[in-house]
Amino acid sequence: MKILVTGVAGFIGYHLAKRLLIEGNQVYGIDNLNDYYDVSLKQSRLEQLLPNGNFIFKCLDISDRNATGQLFVEHVFDCVVNLAAQAGVRYSLENPHTYIDSNVVGFTNILEGCRHSQIQHLIFASSSSVYGANTKIPFSVSDRVDTPVSLYAATKKANELMAHAYSHLYQIPITGLRFFTVYGAWGRPDMAYYKFAKAIAEGKAIDVYNYGKMKRDFTYIDDVVEAIIRIIPHRYQTLNQPPYKIYNLGNNSPVELGEFITTLEKVMGKTALKNLLPMQPGDVVATYADVDDLIEDFDFKPTTSITQGLEKFVQWYQEYYGMDSTNKQKLTKNQLALLAG
């Protein structure tokens, strides 16, 4: 298959592209390489993909209507996996327009590209944050999600509504995935677990919100990729319904933040200094994924334990940051474009 992966230099995008290439697919990856977090990490991910002859990279922002439209004119894709988005809950409190540009305008451009290209399947990233102030546990895709507590969550809910409309109007097969706290090797430095590892390694204090009493359904990256791989070839059999469905993609086993930190300390062999702080605006007390639909439709459920996942992450972290900085090639956007042809 020829698959378009947006946000390919991001955490999930990189891992998905790598797996797709291993399985012999052609991957056309796009990313705007913004500086929301360390660009050199995004570049390092791309360096792992560029040597594969079935991988093509283009530096492109999906919020650019003309460039995105032209991409769909010039290429025929069997499937689109849209992972490009402005991430982060707290960042949305300070930079709201960035979320509208990327998550709403950009997603509209992807939907339009899929409509005019008769794409066989669009898969897009939603988020567990859409459950917002929901108090029913575990979170089910049948729950109402009308109470977002951050703009980020609101844009992801908007994506789901937009996707449903396009699926209904144009019969585009679309699958939305509500990711639950994805973590692992090559992860995002803005995520709490990454910040914790960095601080512990450097002997600095970590900020622990809600005094460590929050619970998260931490989901290891390999489990996320396996689920997407199974979903890509899926073809909907519907009667008088749009070919559209939402799935939770979580570990189905929430862990208290304090326990998560304790496990990370054991894996790293160091004790963390902790600043215990109250809940932050935009945060929720707990996330917990009901994955019954995922099990029923794809015979799959994430299985990586917190200990297993953190061991893999810490091993990568120590290897990556243990490298001599002179050996980490840091490419400019233009250099990456040249390498990608």
Side-chain angles (χ1 to χ4, degrees), residues 124-172:
F124 72 95
S126 187
S127 168
S128 62
S129 67
V130 300
Y131 290 105
N134 184 38
T135 57
K136 176 180 166 291
I137 296 292
F139 297 163
S140 170
V141 292
S142 63
D143 295 341
R144 293 182 65 86
V145 286
D146 300 325
T147 54
V149 294
S150 70
L151 179 62
Y152 170 69
T155 63
K156 287 301 183 179
K157 171 61 175 175
N159 286 171
E160 294 182 1
L161 295 172
M162 295 160 65
H164 185 277
Y166 268 72
S167 182
H168 170 75
L169 290 169
Y170 309 112
Q171 291 300 297
I172 305 170

Side-chain angles (χ1 to χ4, degrees), residues 16 41 91 105 116 149 151 223 229 254 259 263 278 325:
L16 176 62
L41 177 58
Y91 189 72
V105 175
H116 292 292
V149 294
L151 179 62
D223 289 328
I229 291 294
E259 179 185 342
T263 304
S325 61

Side-chain angles (χ1 to χ4, degrees), residues 306-324:
I306 289 297
T307 300
Q308 292 170 327
L310 285 178
E311 285 175 347
K312 292 179 181 179
F313 165 70
V314 169
Q315 180 181 0
W316 167 81
Y317 183 91
Q318 293 174 339
E319 289 175 355
Y320 183 77
Y321 288 101
M323 291 173 59
D324 186 335

Side-chain angles (χ1 to χ4, degrees), residues 23-129:
E23 296 193 355
N25 298 285
Q26 297 179 50
V27 176
Y28 195 107
I30 62 173
D31 200 292
N32 67 0
L33 297 174
N34 66 39
D35 60 359
Y36 169 63
Y37 62 78
D38 186 7
V39 178
S40 67
L41 177 58
K42 300 178 182 182
Q43 294 168 344
S44 293
R45 294 179 186 132
L46 285 176
E47 288 168 25
Q48 310 298 310
L49 302 174
L50 285 170
N52 191 304
N54 281 329
F55 179 69
I56 297 175
F57 173 73
K58 183 178 182 63
C59 187
L60 188 152
D61 192 324
I62 62 171
S63 66
D64 185 330
R65 178 178 173 182
N66 292 331
T68 304
Q70 190 61 31
L71 175 68
F72 282 92
V73 170
E74 295 175 354
H75 298 274
V76 177
F77 303 110
D78 297 305
C79 177
V80 175
V81 183
N82 185 60
L83 300 171
Q86 179 57 59
V89 170
R90 297 188 185 100
Y91 189 72
S92 68
L93 302 177
E94 303 169 0
N95 301 274
H97 293 290
T98 303
Y99 288 77
I100 301 302
D101 292 341
S102 180
N103 300 7
V104 179
V105 175
F107 190 55
T108 302
N109 294 335
I110 293 295
L111 288 169
E112 277 291 283
C114 290
R115 172 167 81 97
H116 292 292
S117 303
Q118 298 182 323
I119 294 297
Q120 297 175 26
H121 196 179
L122 166 62
I123 299 171
F124 72 95
S126 187
S127 168
S128 62
S129 67

